[in-house]
Amino acid sequence: MTTTHQAPGGPAVRPDAARPGPAAEHVPAPPASVAAVLARMRVLEATLPPADGIAVFNRVYLSVTEEIARRLGAGGFQDSAAAGELDAVFARRYLAAVDAAGAGLTVPACWRPLFQLRRHPGVRPLQFALAGINAHIGHDLALAVVDTCRALDCEPGALAADFDRVGDLLTGLEERIRESLMPGPDLLDIADPLTHLAGSWSLEMARDGAWAAARVLWSLRGLPETAEEFTERLGSGVGLVGRCLLTPLG
């Protein structure tokens, strides 16, 4: 049986079924800056039901992006222009997935489990957050690095220092995210399946994998068919991990 989801304010649709046509005309233009990204995320925060899995991830991502914007303004990156470009390009992939779902278009494989299960009553908030982070870091970040290098006409190495700065920020926030969405620890937490499920995924390892994938994709830029196949397999693999993270526990 095919799983369906509802776009915000719209009818149930199959996330894996493209519906080209008039709906595509309503897909918003990609945000061109970190400020525009923040504006889009705040609209989602105000309009999505709080328990929606996309809303849970959006709150997490919004807090991260606000901190990145603050550090950009304070000169906290080696190259603020490049870091800002990477952050905006990166965020556009998440927002494109949201827009695709809202328009009844195909959702990327890495995001599909979260959109399919976003309203499942047996999936807990921390699972939604981790599944979104997994999709965005595990797949989107690698492609965003390559897209940014093309836009700025530079090699991935030129972004390495600021990539690590963003990664350190994310790693520092990860524990806060876990604590806010899964209070503890106490004796009952040891037996809670969520404790073991959440402990099976590492943001640091996902970040390292994204950097390795970005370097591979950059080396394949002269082989578009091979790069496309690699990207498809990457998305499918990340989606499989996301589906495991979203195993209903209720």
Coordinates of all heavy atoms in Angstrom, one line a residue, residues 31 61 87-99 108 110-111 136 139-147 150 231:
P31 N 15.1 31.1 -1.9 CA 15.6 32.3 -1.2 C 17.1 32.5 -1.6 O 17.8 31.6 -1.7 CB 15.5 31.9 0.3 CG 15.4 30.4 0.3 CD 14.8 30.0 -1.0
Y61 N 16.1 23.6 12.8 CA 16.9 24.2 11.8 C 16.9 25.8 11.9 O 17.9 26.5 11.6 CB 16.4 23.8 10.4 CG 17.4 24.0 9.3 CD1 18.7 24.3 9.4 CD2 16.9 23.9 7.9 CE1 19.5 24.5 8.4 CE2 17.7 24.1 6.9 CZ 19.1 24.4 7.1 OH 19.9 24.6 6.0
D87 N 25.5 28.6 3.3 CA 24.3 28.4 4.1 C 23.0 28.6 3.4 O 22.1 27.8 3.6 CB 24.4 29.4 5.3 CG 23.4 29.1 6.4 OD1 23.4 28.0 7.0 OD2 22.4 29.9 6.5
A88 N 23.0 29.6 2.5 CA 21.8 29.8 1.7 C 21.5 28.7 0.7 O 20.4 28.2 0.6 CB 21.9 31.2 1.0
V89 N 22.6 28.3 0.0 CA 22.4 27.2 -0.9 C 22.0 25.9 -0.3 O 21.1 25.1 -0.7 CB 23.8 27.0 -1.7 CG1 23.7 25.7 -2.5 CG2 24.1 28.2 -2.6
F90 N 22.6 25.6 0.9 CA 22.3 24.5 1.7 C 20.8 24.5 2.1 O 20.0 23.5 1.9 CB 23.2 24.5 2.9 CG 23.0 23.3 3.9 CD1 22.8 22.0 3.4 CD2 23.2 23.5 5.2 CE1 22.7 21.0 4.3 CE2 23.2 22.4 6.1 CZ 22.9 21.2 5.6
A91 N 20.3 25.6 2.7 CA 19.0 25.7 3.2 C 17.9 25.6 2.0 O 16.8 25.0 2.2 CB 18.8 27.0 3.9
R92 N 18.3 26.0 0.8 CA 17.4 26.0 -0.3 C 17.0 24.5 -0.6 O 15.9 24.3 -1.1 CB 18.0 26.6 -1.5 CG 18.0 28.1 -1.5 CD 18.1 28.7 -2.9 NE 19.3 28.6 -3.5 CZ 20.3 29.5 -3.5 NH1 20.2 30.6 -2.8 NH2 21.4 29.2 -4.1
R93 N 17.8 23.6 -0.4 CA 17.5 22.2 -0.7 C 16.4 21.7 0.3 O 15.5 20.9 -0.1 CB 18.7 21.3 -0.6 CG 19.7 21.5 -1.8 CD 20.7 20.5 -1.9 NE 21.4 20.7 -3.2 CZ 21.1 20.2 -4.4 NH1 20.0 19.4 -4.4 NH2 21.8 20.4 -5.5
Y94 N 16.4 22.0 1.5 CA 15.4 21.7 2.5 C 14.1 22.4 2.1 O 13.0 21.8 2.0 CB 15.8 22.1 3.9 CG 14.6 22.3 4.8 CD1 13.7 21.3 5.1 CD2 14.4 23.6 5.4 CE1 12.6 21.6 6.0 CE2 13.4 23.8 6.2 CZ 12.5 22.8 6.5 OH 11.4 23.1 7.4
L95 N 14.2 23.7 1.8 CA 12.9 24.4 1.5 C 12.4 24.0 0.1 O 11.1 24.0 -0.1 CB 13.3 25.9 1.4 CG 13.6 26.5 2.8 CD1 14.2 28.0 2.6 CD2 12.5 26.5 3.7
A96 N 13.2 23.5 -0.8 CA 12.7 23.0 -2.1 C 11.9 21.7 -1.8 O 10.9 21.4 -2.5 CB 13.9 22.7 -3.0
A97 N 12.4 20.9 -0.8 CA 11.6 19.6 -0.5 C 10.3 20.0 0.1 O 9.2 19.4 -0.3 CB 12.4 18.8 0.5
V98 N 10.2 21.0 0.9 CA 8.9 21.5 1.5 C 8.0 22.0 0.4 O 6.8 21.6 0.3 CB 9.2 22.6 2.5 CG1 7.9 23.2 3.0 CG2 10.0 22.1 3.7
D99 N 8.6 22.8 -0.5 CA 7.8 23.3 -1.6 C 7.3 22.2 -2.6 O 6.1 22.3 -3.1 CB 8.6 24.3 -2.4 CG 8.9 25.6 -1.6 OD1 8.2 25.8 -0.6 OD2 9.9 26.3 -1.9
P108 N 12.6 14.5 -2.7 CA 13.9 13.8 -2.8 C 13.9 12.5 -1.9 O 13.3 12.6 -0.8 CB 14.9 14.8 -2.4 CG 14.3 16.1 -2.8 CD 12.9 16.0 -2.5
C110 N 16.0 11.3 0.0 CA 16.5 11.4 1.4 C 15.5 12.0 2.3 O 15.5 11.7 3.5 CB 17.8 12.3 1.4 SG 17.5 14.0 0.7
W111 N 14.5 12.8 1.8 CA 13.5 13.5 2.6 C 12.2 12.6 2.7 O 11.4 12.9 3.5 CB 13.2 14.8 2.1 CG 14.2 15.9 2.3 CD1 15.2 16.4 1.5 CD2 14.5 16.5 3.6 NE1 16.0 17.3 2.1 CE2 15.6 17.4 3.4 CE3 13.9 16.5 4.8 CZ2 16.1 18.2 4.4 CZ3 14.4 17.3 5.8 CH2 15.5 18.1 5.6
H136 N 19.3 16.2 5.7 CA 19.9 17.5 5.3 C 21.4 17.4 5.3 O 22.1 17.9 4.4 CB 19.4 18.6 6.2 CG 19.4 20.0 5.6 ND1 19.2 20.2 4.2 CD2 19.7 21.2 6.1 CE1 19.3 21.5 4.0 NE2 19.6 22.1 5.1
H139 N 22.8 14.2 2.8 CA 22.6 14.3 1.4 C 22.8 15.7 0.9 O 23.7 16.0 0.1 CB 21.3 13.8 1.0 CG 21.0 14.0 -0.5 ND1 20.3 15.1 -1.0 CD2 21.2 13.2 -1.6 CE1 20.2 15.0 -2.3 NE2 20.7 13.9 -2.7
D140 N 22.0 16.6 1.5 CA 22.0 18.0 0.9 C 23.3 18.8 1.1 O 23.6 19.6 0.3 CB 20.8 18.8 1.6 CG 19.5 18.3 1.3 OD1 19.4 17.4 0.4 OD2 18.5 18.8 1.9
L141 N 24.0 18.5 2.2 CA 25.2 19.3 2.5 C 26.3 19.0 1.4 O 26.9 20.0 1.0 CB 25.7 19.0 3.9 CG 26.9 19.8 4.3 CD1 26.7 21.3 4.2 CD2 27.3 19.4 5.8
A142 N 26.4 17.8 1.0 CA 27.4 17.4 0.0 C 27.1 18.2 -1.3 O 28.0 18.8 -1.9 CB 27.5 15.9 -0.2
L143 N 25.9 18.1 -1.7 CA 25.5 18.8 -2.9 C 25.6 20.3 -2.8 O 26.0 21.0 -3.8 CB 24.1 18.4 -3.3 CG 23.9 17.1 -4.2 CD1 24.4 15.9 -3.4 CD2 22.5 16.9 -4.6
A144 N 25.3 20.9 -1.6 CA 25.4 22.3 -1.4 C 26.9 22.8 -1.5 O 27.2 23.9 -2.0 CB 24.9 22.7 -0.1
V145 N 27.8 22.0 -1.0 CA 29.2 22.3 -1.1 C 29.6 22.4 -2.6 O 30.3 23.4 -3.0 CB 30.1 21.3 -0.4 CG1 31.6 21.5 -0.7 CG2 29.9 21.4 1.1
V146 N 29.2 21.4 -3.4 CA 29.6 21.4 -4.8 C 28.9 22.6 -5.5 O 29.6 23.3 -6.3 CB 29.1 20.1 -5.5 CG1 29.3 20.1 -7.0 CG2 29.9 18.9 -4.9
D147 N 27.6 22.9 -5.2 CA 27.0 24.0 -5.9 C 27.6 25.3 -5.5 O 27.8 26.2 -6.3 CB 25.5 24.0 -5.4 CG 24.7 22.9 -6.0 OD1 25.1 22.3 -7.0 OD2 23.6 22.6 -5.5
R150 N 30.9 25.8 -7.4 CA 30.6 26.2 -8.8 C 30.2 27.6 -8.8 O 30.7 28.4 -9.7 CB 29.5 25.3 -9.4 CG 30.0 23.9 -9.7 CD 28.8 23.1 -10.2 NE 29.3 21.8 -10.7 CZ 28.6 20.6 -10.7 NH1 27.4 20.7 -10.1 NH2 29.1 19.5 -11.2
T231 N 24.9 10.5 -6.8 CA 23.9 11.3 -6.1 C 22.7 10.6 -5.8 O 22.1 10.6 -4.6 CB 23.6 12.6 -6.9 OG1 24.8 13.3 -7.1 CG2 22.7 13.5 -6.1

